[in-house]
């Protein structure tokens, strides 16, 4: 037995005229539907005389006659486009739900697509607060976690309402993206929030997104992209105002610390930091996943697929960088710095994300401890090696396009945006140094 076709309301157009028609008067064309014994009408804002309207055309759907004027075809196309859009929404809704109400049809006519959305138009903040309430009532989270998470969501709401923010204040669950979350984290940093606080922002939003994905309200790809955000790899590259770097003197003071006052683990972390700086600001995610397979000592270069961008990046190795690699040679078989076990499968993205977040936190705590012993007045993080290299390269005159390529940025615009403060100074200095063959009096 074949599938029974579902019946759903289909629209038509009508010229709304009084009982006594004035042949010289313009009347509005309405889009009409019948549902549950109720007539739903909506003005299309197109006006026509009775003599220019043919109600029997298109199997009773109606259309304008050629006598309407030179643009009658264009107006008919507008009407048909509107009809197809609303009819299509009604069809999809009936296929999903089996029936439809006049109010839903009215909403489709006005352009409201929420009934068709997986999230039904539920706001992200409202969904998150409701989720937290349920978890707390079921004793899945403690009161402190609940209150802290509510506070973070209020901050997220403030971010959405911020005049400088491009996101809409009514953000649907299904519309949250990796870029929005990154902007939120940068927004927090720019307002003086500590890195640890912003890291909690990320943790809370990420958990909500994972649950939304499990509930079928957010696509898995978006939830995974948000879960894959690593604080060190994202925040400091998102805004020039959040850049923190070390001068060459400060880096020298850090890496030349007396080895007698630091542990073996701290020595290893310093070697990784130094190697990152010498290797064009290699990200910590790429330090963690760097394999001997990626190193070519004969060609004196690294050739590695970046964790963040998935792009292959080739980095020439300096003599000092090679010296560090020689020290680590033979200590580990697969991963250069031994931060992952030899049998770790890099294709296991969720497991890798969890491990690298944990490793990043541990390394940053170690660097902070070392920086206190060197009495630096800055809280050192691993990502500062990346910014420090870029700033040093810019100040020494390396072309921005070359820096962008070596850092593995998607395009030079990203580099220019992040380091505008330094490129601007260089441009001004370059103009002042220009020589001309003539004088202007």
């Amino acid at each position: 037995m074949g599938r029974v076709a579902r019946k759903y309301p289909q629209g038509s157009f009508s010229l709304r005229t009084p009982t006594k028609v004035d042949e010289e008067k313009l009347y509005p064309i309405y889009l009409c539907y019948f549902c549950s014994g109720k007539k739903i009408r909506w003005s299309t804002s197109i006006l026509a005389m009775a003599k220019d309207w043919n109600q029997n055309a298109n199997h009773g759907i109606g259309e304008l006659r050629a006598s309407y004027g030179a643009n009658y075809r264009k107006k008919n196309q507008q009407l048909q486009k509107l009809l197809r859009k609303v009819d299509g929404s009604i069809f999809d809704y009936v296929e999903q739900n089996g029936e439809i109400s006049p109010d839903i049809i009215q909403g489709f006519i006005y352009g409201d697509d929420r009934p068709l959305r997986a999230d039904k138009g539920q706001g992200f903040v409202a969904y998150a607060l409701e989720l937290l309430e349920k978890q707390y009532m079921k004793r899945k989270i403690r009161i402190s976690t609940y209150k802290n998470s509510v506070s973070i969501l209020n901050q997220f709401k403030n971010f959405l309402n911020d005049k400088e923010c491009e996101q809409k204040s009514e953000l649907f669950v299904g519309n949250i993206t990796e870029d929005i979350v990154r902007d939120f984290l940068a927004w927090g940093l720019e307002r003086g929030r500590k890195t640890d606080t912003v890291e909690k922002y990320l943790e809370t939003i990420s958990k909500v997104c994972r649950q939304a994905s499990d509930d079928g309200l957010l696509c898995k790809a978006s939830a995974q992209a948000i879960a894959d955000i690593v604080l060190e790899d994202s925040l400091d590259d998102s805004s020039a105002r959040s850049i923190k770097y070390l001068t060459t003197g400060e880096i020298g003071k850090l890496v030349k610390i007396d080895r007698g006052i630091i542990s073996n683990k701290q020595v290893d972390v310093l070697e990784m930091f130094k190697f990152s700086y010498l290797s064009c600001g290699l990200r910590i995610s790429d330090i963690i996943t760097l394999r001997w397979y990626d190193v070519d000592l004969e060609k004196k270069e690294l050739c590695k697929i970046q964790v963040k961008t998935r792009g292959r990046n080739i980095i020439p190795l300096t003599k000092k960088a090679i010296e560090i690699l020689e020290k680590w040679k033979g200590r580990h078989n697969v991963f250069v710095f031994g931060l992952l076990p030899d049998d770790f499968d890099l294709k296991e993205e969720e497991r890798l994300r969890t491990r690298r977040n944990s490793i990043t936190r541990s390394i940053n705590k170690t660097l902070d401890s070392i920086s206190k012993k060197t009495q630096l007045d800055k809280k050192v993080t691993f990502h500062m090696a990346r910014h420090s290299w870029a700033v040093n390269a810019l100040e020494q005159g390396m072309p921005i396009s070359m820096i962008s390529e070596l850092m593995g940025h998607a395009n030079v615009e990203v580099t220019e945006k992040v380091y505008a403060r330094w490129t601007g100074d260089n441009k001004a200095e370059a103009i002042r140094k220009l020589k001309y063959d003539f004088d202007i009096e």
Side-chain angles (χ1 to χ4, degrees):
M1 189 172 179
R3 180 181 176 186
V4 177
R6 286 177 173 164
K7 294 182 179 181
Y8 63 96
Q10 293 177 288
S12 63
F13 295 102
S14 67
L15 191 69
R16 193 171 185 186
T17 61
T19 305
K20 186 177 181 180
V21 177
D22 184 341
E23 295 296 336
E24 299 300 321
K25 188 176 180 180
L26 294 171
Y27 296 102
I29 299 173
Y30 274 71
L31 174 61
C32 305
Y33 285 89
F34 287 92
C35 178
S36 302
K38 183 178 180 180
K39 188 172 185 178
I40 305 148
R41 290 187 298 200
W42 181 76
S43 175
T44 64
S45 299
I46 296 177
L47 305 175
M49 294 181 183
K51 64 184 180 63
D52 298 327
W53 179 252
N54 183 357
Q55 187 61 62
N56 296 321
N58 286 337
H59 306 286
I61 292 175
E63 69 175 16
L64 291 165
R65 301 178 191 270
S67 59
Y68 176 82
N71 63 341
Y72 83 99
R73 285 194 179 92
K74 183 179 179 180
K75 293 296 182 182
N76 279 330
Q77 288 173 356
Q78 290 177 5
L79 293 173
Q80 288 298 318
K81 183 178 180 180
L82 172 62
L83 183 68
R84 286 194 299 270
K85 181 181 179 181
V86 179
D87 272 4
S89 296
I90 292 172
F91 177 82
D92 290 342
Y93 186 88
V94 173
E95 286 294 298
Q96 292 176 17
N97 301 279
E99 57 183 14
I100 195 167
S101 68
D103 290 339
I104 296 295
I105 294 176
Q106 187 77 50
F108 287 148
I109 292 174
Y110 282 99
D112 183 1
D113 69 341
R114 288 179 296 176
L116 286 174
R117 296 176 58 89
D119 58 23
K120 302 301 181 186
Q122 186 174 12
F124 179 82
V125 174
Y127 167 80
L129 291 172
E130 183 180 343
L131 175 64
L132 287 170
E133 182 74 23
K134 289 179 180 178
Q135 290 177 337
Y136 174 63
M137 295 302 293
K138 292 180 180 179
R139 297 184 178 180
K140 290 184 177 181
I141 57 175
R142 296 180 179 179
I143 182 65
S144 58
T145 302
Y146 172 74
K147 288 184 176 180
N148 289 337
S149 298
V150 169
S151 176
I152 289 170
L153 288 168
N154 286 331
Q155 289 295 314
F156 186 65
K157 191 173 182 179
N158 291 337
F159 156 72
L160 294 174
N161 288 325
D162 195 306
K163 292 181 180 179
E164 297 178 1
C165 177
E166 296 179 357
Q167 311 304 333
K168 295 179 180 179
S169 58
E170 183 60 26
L171 177 70
F172 295 152
V173 177
N175 285 358
I176 191 165
T177 63
E178 176 188 1
D179 287 341
I180 292 175
V181 177
R182 287 184 185 277
D183 287 346
F184 172 48
L185 302 178
W187 178 87
L189 280 180
E190 290 168 4
R191 278 152 184 76
R193 306 295 190 273
K194 294 182 179 179
T195 303
D196 291 345
T197 300
V198 176
E199 194 167 39
K200 291 176 182 177
Y201 286 8
L202 175 59
E203 183 180 356
T204 298
I205 298 296
S206 182
K207 284 181 179 179
V208 173
C209 289
R210 282 200 297 271
Q211 187 60 53
S213 176
D214 291 342
D215 291 343
L217 308 182
L218 177 66
C219 72
K220 290 184 178 180
S222 293
Q224 188 60 55
I226 291 167
D228 283 344
I229 295 174
V230 179
L231 198 64
E232 278 297 302
D233 281 354
S234 59
L235 293 185
D236 290 330
D237 268 355
S238 61
S239 170
R241 283 177 285 181
S242 64
I243 284 186
K244 296 176 183 177
Y245 69 99
L246 299 175
T247 64
T248 53
E250 289 171 331
I251 288 180
K253 189 175 182 180
L254 184 69
V255 299
K256 292 178 182 178
I257 186 174
D258 182 1
R259 296 300 194 261
I261 64 171
I262 58 176
S263 66
N264 291 334
K265 178 184 177 182
Q266 290 174 329
V267 171
D268 287 348
V269 168
L270 274 179
E271 289 289 298
M272 296 174 206
F273 183 89
K274 184 178 177 182
F275 184 78
S276 170
Y277 178 77
L278 294 170
S279 303
C280 308
L282 202 63
R283 294 183 181 94
I284 191 169
S285 56
D286 292 314
I287 290 288
I288 292 170
T289 57
L290 183 65
R291 300 168 298 176
W292 288 110
Y293 173 82
D294 304 317
V295 178
D296 192 327
L297 291 176
E298 290 186 6
K299 290 185 178 181
K300 298 181 180 180
E301 66 180 24
L302 296 181
C303 184
K304 186 181 187 303
I305 295 176
Q306 299 174 96
V307 172
K308 181 179 179 181
T309 65
R310 310 298 186 191
R312 186 173 291 278
N313 196 20
I314 298 176
I315 300 173
L317 290 170
T318 63
K319 181 180 178 181
K320 292 181 181 291
I322 292 174
E323 288 176 358
I324 292 174
L325 290 174
E326 292 289 353
K327 290 181 184 178
W328 284 81
K329 204 170 182 182
R331 290 177 61 175
H332 307 286
N333 296 323
V334 179
F335 296 98
V336 174
F337 296 107
L339 295 169
L340 295 173
D342 286 348
D343 60 351
F344 192 93
D345 186 356
L346 295 179
K347 294 180 181 179
E348 296 183 33
E349 295 183 358
E350 177 63 24
R351 186 181 173 210
L352 175 60
R353 182 191 66 79
T354 303
R355 289 294 292 269
R356 79 173 193 254
N357 283 353
S358 175
I359 292 169
T360 298
R361 285 192 291 269
S362 175
I363 285 178
N364 281 335
K365 286 181 180 178
T366 301
L367 282 171
D368 184 41
S369 177
I370 297 170
S371 65
K372 288 177 180 176
K373 290 180 180 180
T374 59
Q375 297 182 340
L376 287 175
D377 59 354
K378 296 178 180 177
K379 182 176 181 178
V380 179
T381 67
F382 199 93
H383 205 71
M384 290 173 76
R386 181 170 176 81
H387 285 314
S388 301
W389 178 83
V391 171
N392 185 30
L394 281 167
E395 289 180 340
Q396 294 192 45
M398 182 179 286
I400 189 73
S401 58
M402 188 180 295
I403 291 173
S404 179
E405 183 179 351
L406 290 170
M407 295 186 78
H409 281 161
N411 53 62
V412 73
E413 286 79 11
V414 173
T415 321
E416 289 175 339
K417 176 185 176 183
V418 176
Y419 302 102
R421 165 178 154 197
W422 289 273
T423 57
D425 290 344
N426 289 341
K427 287 176 183 176
E429 183 65 25
I431 290 173
R432 285 193 291 269
K433 289 181 179 180
L434 283 178
K435 295 180 180 180
Y436 298 98
D437 295 331
F438 55 89
D439 293 325
I440 298 177
E441 295 182 0

